[in-house]
Amino acid sequence: ITYLLDYKRTDLKFMGVVLSIFKVLYKTAFVAFIKYTNGSFSYITASHGMNVGLIINSFNIFSYNKIIKQSLNPGSVIVLQLLSRYSMFSNLQLGSSNKAKYARSAGTYCQLIEKFEDYSLAVIKLPTGTNKIISLESYVTLGRNSNIMNKFIVFGKAGIRRKSGHRPIVRGVARNPVDHPNGG
């Protein structure tokens, strides 16, 4: 079964509630099933601290006010412009793209280092430790991705990964020159 994850959350004016959280084989982070107040459903990448029954909000610049700031829960989608300095977020979408580009795997997060309101730019720290300048109109998910203990899993041997659907990869230099450009 393939689950289509909704990163953009096109229903930005509706609240949603988390119905279930589960693990998908091909993803390292958990997936949450959301029901919105307009009756639609979607799958999202679960954030750390998200649980069943949690209210998820989505904010853009026009629907945000100071009263709603208290209802910012992990998993809520917000425009980067509305975050404060040193905020942690994940699933960063650049501009108007419909898919998250940075901090998508289990336990990863980005951090807002500096905002330049005059130029509509922000400096963020990526999970790799490098800084990147991006637009303030980018959408992000609050909190770090779920399954933060994923990096401590020890599989033991190659056969265990093979049973879960992962095929072994042979290095190019270990092949014959006729089989691969890096061979020999």
Side-chain angles (χ1 to χ4, degrees):
I1 297 174
T2 304
Y3 297 95
L4 183 62
L5 295 180
D6 185 14
Y7 291 108
K8 188 72 170 186
R9 314 239 191 115
T10 54
D11 301 326
L12 287 175
K13 54 186 173 276
F14 298 109
M15 290 191 317
V17 63
V18 178
L19 296 180
S20 67
I21 298 174
F22 54 93
K23 180 83 168 90
V24 179
L25 265 180
Y26 60 88
K27 285 195 65 72
T28 55
F30 295 116
V31 174
F33 184 56
I34 307 292
K35 180 180 181 181
Y36 292 102
T37 53
N38 67 346
S40 62
F41 297 94
S42 69
Y43 295 102
I44 64 168
T45 304
S47 295
H48 182 67
M50 186 183 285
N51 50 15
V52 176
L54 187 72
I55 303 293
I56 301 296
N57 293 314
S58 298
F59 300 104
N60 55 19
I61 298 169
F62 307 110
S63 67
Y64 183 80
N65 58 32
K66 299 296 180 189
I67 299 168
I68 298 177
K69 189 172 184 179
Q70 297 156 354
S71 65
L72 291 175
N73 293 326
S76 296
V77 171
I78 193 167
V79 179
L80 192 61
Q81 184 176 4
L82 300 175
L83 287 180
S84 59
R85 198 169 177 196
Y86 301 117
S87 297
M88 285 176 38
F89 55 88
S90 59
N91 297 322
L92 172 65
Q93 305 162 26
L94 297 179
S96 62
S97 66
N98 289 333
K99 191 169 184 181
K101 187 162 175 118
Y102 295 108
R104 292 173 32 181
S105 62
T108 57
Y109 63 93
C110 296
Q111 195 169 20
L112 180 63
I113 303 297
E114 189 77 33
K115 288 197 303 188
F116 300 105
E117 300 276 346
D118 299 337
Y119 303 108
S120 185
L121 295 173
V123 177
I124 61 163
K125 185 177 180 181
L126 296 175
T128 58
T130 59
N131 291 344
K132 187 166 180 70
I133 298 173
I134 62 167
S135 171
L136 281 175
E137 280 83 33
S138 302
Y139 284 92
V140 297
T141 304
L142 291 180
R144 67 190 300 179
N145 278 331
S146 61
N147 200 8
I148 60 175
M149 301 302 282
N150 182 61
K151 63 182 176 181
F152 299 113
I153 295 174
V154 178
F155 289 104
K157 62 177 194 168
I160 295 173
R161 294 285 288 172
R162 186 66 195 244
K163 289 177 184 174
S164 67
H166 293 275
R167 300 215 36 215
I169 298 172
V170 179
R171 296 173 298 129
V173 293
R175 297 183 184 186
N176 292 326
V178 295
D179 297 331
H180 198 273
N182 297 340

